[in-house]
Amino acid sequence: MATSKEMTSGRPFPLIFNFALPLLLGNLLQQTYSLVDAAIVGQFLGINDLAAVGAGTSVVFLILGFCNGCCGGFGIPVAQKFGARDYGTMRRLVSVSLQLAVVMSVVIAIVTSLFCADILKVMRTPETIFRNAYYYLLVTFIGVPCTFFYNLLSSIIRALGDSKTPFWFLLFSTVLNVLLDLFCILVLDWGVTGAAIATVISQGVSAGLCYFYMMRKFEILKTTVAERKFQTSLARTLLYIGVPMGLQFSITAIGSIMLQSANNALGTACVAAFTAAMRIKMFCMCPLESLGIAMATYSGQNYGAGKPERIWAGIKASGWMMLVYCAFVFVVLLLGAKTFALLFVEASELEILKDTELFLHISVIFFPVLGLLCILRYTIQGAGYTNLAMLSGVSEMIARTLVSLFAVPAWGYFAVCFGDPTAWVFADLFLIPAFIYVYGKIKRIVPPSVGVATVA
């Protein structure tokens, strides 16, 4: 039988580290999906198809980011009620979140699929890669329910202090994804569409495994008929926290779409370099995201237990972990960026290799800024102040928009490389005073009452 774990007592450093480690491995595996797709496409299908996979990356982040943000937000009230030991309300929240997920994921899948072609046209996708980019994006959008449910179920399991179970299911589906990629591309000759199909199937399998395991093994989640009934008040609580978190990702992605649109206009070679660099960067960002997600659960449980002083202790512990990792990844990317780029393109593609290396070298310098962003943003979200976290996404959007409109036309791809770092700086300038404000408030309040979300 699976067990839940409280993080409301004990030393923060080992608690956060032990919780974040399997979460990190799971995130690395999730990013492996993207790496495998891009690497196999780039090596077996060529530069144009690699560019087609990457042409809509920021749009995928816009849609899937909203879904993942909502899922993370739905897990926060669950973590708070678990920390407060209000298990009845916790189970009702889980049931309502699953019902909301069905409706939201299906609606999102239908709407985005209908407007897929229009989105790519607005982003100035080159004609040479438009058709393949369309099919890749369309399959990804159709598979939104698979992604939504995996992330929701993982968020619920993590809210109970178990970050290991989702990892094992994700490990299985990652291996499945690699095998299906090779089968769909090399055997069935489905091209980039096959890569998208392989990813969607793999995520669907992972979601199914999570659901059946969670319902069979977690005794604390066994519900009665009354607890499974839809409750409007709890739905409002979930949406009031989840939707701002989803919008935070989407607002951030709007800036990314503008940046990618500006980069798309620079030509296929720049799109291919951007695609390869983004895949590598996202992989290297996983430890920072994992620390942040761990802090959301840690913060939510300790807020629910009425122990705000432990939240500050967790900030310091995760900050030290973040700095050590940033020093490590700086050395790795400084020396090995070009080697990693060779996973996606042939050694003869000198311009693409050079641009990929430049992007990674600039990005890694600013990783400590990104690490602070992840820790503060997720901590604020864990305490229920999701509106403030959403506003930090607005800061990122403004920064990327300014770079896209003014810097890229003047300095080209070099300015594209500074798009994300500029956004991270803007976000931190907002999040630092925001956290000071939030911490001052949570030190003076009692844990939230049953069924009521605490937001700014």
Side-chain angles (χ1 to χ4, degrees):
M1 180 177 66
T3 57
S4 52
K5 182 178 181 180
E6 293 186 3
M7 292 193 285
T8 55
S9 61
R11 291 175 57 218
F13 191 101
L15 285 172
I16 295 170
F17 180 82
N18 291 331
F19 184 84
L21 187 58
L23 183 59
L24 165 61
L25 296 175
N27 282 342
L28 289 174
L29 286 174
Q30 246 181 344
Q31 288 304 319
T32 300
Y33 280 179
S34 296
L35 279 174
V36 167
D37 282 345
I40 292 177
V41 168
Q43 291 293 340
F44 292 103
L45 299 179
I47 297 304
N48 281 346
D49 285 321
L50 176 63
V53 169
T57 297
S58 56
V59 181
V60 172
F61 179 58
L62 171 70
I63 303 303
L64 299 189
F66 175 79
C67 297
N68 297 346
C70 286
C71 294
F74 289 172
I76 287 173
V78 176
Q80 290 179 348
K81 296 308 175 188
F82 178 72
R85 301 188 178 184
D86 183 0
Y87 302 132
T89 303
M90 182 196 72
R91 286 190 291 271
R92 292 185 180 94
L93 286 166
V94 170
S95 294
V96 173
S97 69
L98 292 172
Q99 294 169 62
L100 288 174
V102 172
V103 177
M104 293 176 68
S105 63
V106 171
V107 170
I108 290 170
I110 293 172
V111 172
T112 53
S113 297
L114 291 175
F115 291 97
C116 185
D118 296 324
I119 292 170
L120 288 172
K121 289 176 183 177
V122 170
M123 293 184 64
R124 296 184 286 180
T125 304
E127 287 296 327
T128 54
I129 63 174
F130 187 92
R131 182 175 180 272
N132 283 340
Y134 170 77
Y135 285 119
Y136 185 87
L137 205 58
L138 179 63
V139 172
T140 301
F141 288 158
I142 292 172
V144 161
C146 296
T147 304
F148 202 109
F149 271 95
Y150 169 73
N151 284 281
L152 174 60
L153 296 168
S154 296
S155 177
I156 292 170
I157 294 172
R158 286 195 301 267
L160 305 183
D162 178 9
S163 57
K164 294 179 182 179
T165 300
F167 164 74
W168 294 113
F169 295 140
L170 193 56
L171 175 61
F172 171 79
S173 61
T174 299
V175 175
L176 178 63
N177 184 52
V178 174
L179 296 176
L180 287 175
D181 261 331
L182 294 171
F183 180 72
C184 292
I185 292 174
L186 300 182
V187 179
L188 300 180
D189 195 27
W190 286 353
V192 295
T193 306
I197 291 172
T199 299
V200 169
I201 292 175
S202 301
Q203 289 179 332
V205 170
S206 187
L209 291 172
C210 270
Y211 178 79
F212 287 111
Y213 180 87
M214 184 179 79
M215 291 304 174
R216 287 175 62 90
K217 299 296 183 179
F218 282 86
E219 290 293 334
I220 199 172
L221 292 178
K222 300 291 185 180
T223 57
T224 64
V225 174
E227 289 172 338
R228 289 193 292 271
K229 184 180 178 181
F230 186 83
Q231 297 185 36
T232 304
S233 60
L234 294 183
R236 282 198 298 265
T237 295
L238 290 164
L239 292 172
Y240 203 49
I241 293 182
V243 171
M245 280 186 67
L247 289 176
Q248 169 216 303
F249 283 98
S250 295
I251 290 169
T252 300
I254 291 171
S256 296
I257 289 173
M258 296 194 66
L259 185 63
Q260 184 163 17
S261 180
N263 184 68
N264 286 351
L266 299 177
T268 301
C270 288
V271 177
F274 185 82
T275 301
M278 284 294 290
R279 293 299 195 274
I280 298 168
K281 187 198 77 172
M282 294 297 290
F283 189 85
C284 293
M285 283 170 49
C286 282
L288 304 179
E289 284 285 338
S290 299
L291 267 179
I293 296 170
M295 279 303 299
T297 299
Y298 176 88
S299 174
Q301 286 194 11
N302 282 285
Y303 175 77
K307 298 180 179 180
E309 70 285 348
R310 287 184 55 79
I311 296 176
W312 174 240
I315 290 280
K316 291 187 288 185
S318 58
W320 281 112
M321 285 185 263
M322 178 269 290
L323 290 174
V324 171
Y325 172 74
C326 287
F328 167 75
V329 77
F330 175 80
V331 174
V332 170
L333 287 183
L334 192 67
L335 300 177
K338 184 177 291 187
T339 302
F340 296 139
L342 288 170
L343 293 171
F344 304 91
V345 298
E346 299 291 338
S348 58
E349 301 286 352
L350 298 180
E351 180 185 358
I352 296 175
L353 290 172
K354 180 182 176 182
D355 285 346
T356 302
E357 185 178 39
L358 175 66
F359 187 102
L360 292 172
H361 283 174
I362 292 173
S363 293
V364 77
I365 293 172
F366 290 87
F367 263 33
V369 178
L370 173 63
L372 181 62
L373 183 161
C374 291
I375 292 170
L376 293 182
R377 175 181 284 165
Y378 280 103
T379 299
I380 291 171
Q381 289 173 347
Y385 291 78
T386 53
N387 287 338
L388 285 177
M390 180 180 68
L391 289 175
S392 71
V394 175
S395 301
E396 290 191 70
M397 181 191 69
I398 292 171
R400 288 190 178 94
T401 300
L402 292 175
V403 171
S404 303
L405 293 179
F406 301 107
V408 175
W411 294 293
Y413 184 80
F414 182 74
V416 172
C417 298
F418 278 93
D420 286 340
T422 304
W424 301 337
V425 171
F426 271 52
D428 276 350
L429 290 176
F430 176 86
L431 284 168
I432 292 172
F435 173 74
I436 294 172
Y437 165 78
V438 168
Y439 189 64
K441 290 197 70 172
I442 63 178
K443 285 195 299 184
R444 299 191 297 270
I445 59 179
V446 297
S449 59
V450 174
V452 178
T454 300
V455 294

